[in-house]
Amino acid sequence: MSRVVVIGAGLAGLSAACRLVGDGWDVTVVEREPVPGGRSGLLQRDGWTFDTGPSVLTMRDLIADALSAAGTDIADVLPLRRLDPAYRARFADGSTIHVRHGRDAMREEIRATCGDADADAFDGFVDWLRRLYEVEMPHFIDRNFDSPLDLVADPRAAATLVRLGGFGRLGPAVRRRFRDPRLHRLFSFQALYAGLSPQSALAIYAVITYMDSIEGVWWPDGGLHAVPLALATAAEKAGAEVLLGTGVRTVLRRPDTGAVAGVELDSGERIAADAVVCTLDPETAYRSLLPDLSLPRRVRRARHSPSAVVWHVGARGLPAPGTAHHNIHFGEQWDESFEALLDRRELMPDPSRLVTVPTVTDPSMAPPGSTSMFVLEPVPHLGSAIDWRREAGPMRDRLLAFLAENGYPTDVAVEELVTPLEWQRMGMAGGTPFATAHTFGQTGPFRVRNTVRELPGLFLAGSGTVPGVGVPMVLVSGKLAAERVRGYLRDGAA
């Protein structure tokens, strides 16, 4: 039986591990932290619980698929509830629009807040989003690329994407369908997840809008950290070994062929393996595990996505009535803020912020009568001139004032402020948790490959490689890495 070592027990690594152990390989997952999760971590302090990574969970079927590959039914290990509303959107004029689950409910929400014309346009918008998703997912997202020519491997799919306007710009595509500028923001802000402004993002990234605004947002009791725990449980039940609190020092190579031979742990112990899946950020992986290899051009010249400041707050008291689990507060200066963030790499002059309050759904995440929440503000990555050692304090004060102005409790009992410096210390290149931006030149076959040409048997997974950023994409990246391993071990070629 061939052995595979997976470096990192985050969502990508565990997605790969579930599939590989389900294939019958001998799988060992090595994780430096004391618990599974990777970037989907957990912070517990004095009775408050916080997810330290993703907070928005979409595409439940991708989790179910990974669990099923290891012989586990999602209903047995990860009960999920759908959030409705998925978001509460608050605008600078004081108005509110809720993102409701279901076409009928959302159409009527738009009718009540934006008028009949935009409500009548919603069905066509949903049909467009769904068609984009149906074409993109199998042909451009959930697949490995060996060459840019693979983009036209299925000419009909490529032609359909062109016909749908997928290579146009997202912002203008949304504006053409709706009159109300609030809907323009609500259905295009997701471009920021891809590291771009709605004006510059390709319309193909409307699939992110489809995932969270149409397919819906889910929540597991106890927080999103429950997802990697469920995946780790499934992998172990199927026979994988998960080593926690165990760091990897280097990737070993065969002296005869130069191919992967296993890994050496920080302890000096060696684990032999026929293939290795590494889920570290690609730049971090090359610098720490493969120091004798030159950084690939795509890694060396990567354009990073903006970063974010995240302030985890455990506060005494409860939020104002009407507060949702996820709350987006849109600033007035929309275009100006994106120009500052992306073009000049400055703080947004009028930032839009996400406030996630899990205790609205799950009160167990805070002591009785208290609130667990975090507020996220997009900020430039470390390529900017901002000195976060000086800026952290003023940023914290601004966020506190913002929470007070918007009805959130501010009697802070516990807190944790995460800036780009902290993201960098966690191994995220550029100090951003959102990896490289999804420009056309960093998408699909142009993104950092999940194979390492100089080291046969080493494969990459995670947000820094294909297909990209976000919980759904990272789960898919684990699947794609597992497919690479399968081809390498069975056919002798990646």
Side-chain angles (χ1 to χ4, degrees):
M1 181 186 294
S2 297
R3 171 179 278 183
V4 183
V5 169
V6 178
I7 304 174
L11 296 176
L14 292 170
S15 172
C18 284
R19 290 177 166 84
L20 291 168
V21 74
D23 281 348
W25 309 117
D26 182 356
V27 177
T28 298
V29 182
V30 183
E31 169 57 50
R32 68 181 178 183
E33 298 299 327
V35 294
R39 297 187 188 184
S40 186
L42 187 71
L43 173 65
Q44 293 178 311
R45 190 174 297 171
D46 299 335
W48 278 270
T49 299
F50 308 94
D51 281 308
T52 60
S55 65
V56 179
L57 181 63
T58 64
M59 305 308 292
R60 172 187 179 276
D61 289 350
L62 293 178
I63 304 171
D65 185 53
L67 290 168
S68 178
T72 294
D73 190 302
I74 190 172
D76 295 333
V77 294
L78 191 65
L80 296 170
R81 62 176 104 175
R82 192 189 297 274
L83 298 182
D84 191 6
Y87 298 97
R88 176 185 66 134
R90 292 279 294 168
F91 297 90
D93 63 2
S95 62
T96 298
I97 300 175
H98 292 95
V99 176
R100 297 290 185 186
H101 173 64
R103 181 183 292 209
D104 293 343
M106 190 62 210
R107 185 197 312 111
E108 295 315 305
E109 175 75 10
I110 293 174
R111 193 179 307 280
T113 55
C114 305
D116 290 341
D118 281 339
D120 294 342
F122 181 68
D123 284 325
F125 179 63
V126 173
D127 291 340
W128 177 66
L129 290 178
R130 179 167 289 122
R131 187 66 182 126
L132 274 176
Y133 178 82
E134 290 171 348
V135 175
E136 284 185 60
M137 193 63 181
H139 299 289
F140 302 100
I141 295 175
D142 190 9
R143 63 165 298 180
N144 280 307
F145 290 96
D146 295 310
S147 161
L149 295 177
D150 290 345
L151 282 172
V152 292
D154 187 330
R156 288 189 300 176
T160 299
L161 199 56
V162 170
R163 187 172 66 253
L164 290 170
F167 294 106
R169 300 298 170 181
L170 177 60
V174 174
R175 287 199 300 272
R176 283 194 297 270
R177 294 178 179 274
F178 299 107
R179 299 177 181 177
D180 196 308
R182 294 174 299 173
L183 295 180
H184 301 163
R185 300 182 182 191
L186 188 60
F187 293 134
S188 68
F189 80 89
Q190 295 87 353
L192 193 55
Y193 298 154
L196 304 166
S197 73
Q199 282 298 107
S200 62
L202 295 175
I204 57 175
Y205 291 113
V207 296
I208 308 175
T209 304
Y210 174 79
M211 289 175 181
D212 67 8
S213 295
I214 307 302
E215 280 294 304
V217 175
W218 299 85
W219 178 256
D221 285 345
L224 263 68
H225 185 68
V227 177
L229 290 180
L231 291 168
T233 298
E236 287 186 298
K237 183 179 177 181
E241 182 180 21
V242 180
L243 303 178
L244 301 174
T246 305
V248 174
R249 179 182 297 167
T250 190
V251 176
L252 303 173
R253 307 171 204 189
R254 291 172 55 99
D256 52 348
T257 65
V260 157
V263 299
E264 181 177 318
L265 306 181
D266 288 343
S267 65
E269 178 186 353
R270 294 187 169 197
I271 301 176
D274 303 286
V276 172
V277 175
C278 179
T279 65
L280 276 64
D281 181 279
E283 182 176 334
T284 301
Y286 273 91
R287 294 190 186 282
S288 63
L289 303 182
L290 309 165
D292 60 320
L293 295 184
S294 299
L295 286 177
R297 183 175 181 274
R298 292 179 186 177
V299 175
R300 189 174 64 253
R301 299 188 177 183
R303 173 183 166 185
H304 291 109
S305 295
S307 185
V309 166
V310 176
W311 188 32
H312 300 284
V313 179
R316 303 176 187 90
L318 301 175
T323 298
H325 189 116
H326 295 299
N327 306 269
I328 305 174
H329 295 261
F330 287 101
E332 178 64 31
Q333 298 178 43
W334 186 246
D335 293 334
E336 298 88 343
S337 289
F338 277 109
E339 289 171 5
L341 177 68
L342 296 166
D343 299 339
R344 300 193 301 275
R345 296 180 185 173
E346 300 171 353
L347 294 177
M348 287 180 160
D350 183 18
S352 297
R353 299 176 172 118
L354 169 69
V355 183
T356 290
V357 190
T359 42
V360 168
T361 305
D362 188 354
S364 71
M365 297 185 72
S370 298
T371 299
S372 173
M373 59 184 165
F374 78 77
V375 54
L376 179 153
E377 178 176 327
V379 299
H381 56 66
L382 287 179
S384 75
I386 299 170
D387 182 349
W388 284 104
R389 290 166 295 184
R390 295 183 177 182
E391 186 59 40
M395 171 65 76
R396 188 258 187 202
D397 293 341
R398 290 193 296 272
L399 295 179
L400 180 64
F402 161 78
L403 291 177
E405 292 167 3
N406 287 277
Y408 300 98
T410 54
D411 184 5
V412 177
V414 298
E415 60 181 300
E416 184 84 14
L417 186 73
V418 183
T419 74
L421 288 178
E422 281 70 44
W423 297 125
Q424 183 184 52
R425 282 194 280 268
M426 295 178 209
M428 302 176 200
T432 173
F434 304 116
T436 51
H438 286 69
T439 60
F440 182 80
Q442 296 185 154
T443 294
F446 307 110
R447 200 165 179 82
V448 173
R449 288 172 57 90
N450 58 4
T451 59
V452 179
R453 295 185 188 277
E454 304 91 336
L455 188 45
L458 177 63
F459 305 94
L460 306 181
S463 58
T465 184
V466 291
V469 177
V471 172
M473 299 300 100
V474 167
L475 290 167
V476 172
S477 81
K479 177 184 177 183
L480 296 179
E483 290 178 359
R484 291 288 195 185
V485 172
R486 189 178 300 126
Y488 177 77
L489 293 181
R490 290 182 176 167
D491 305 328

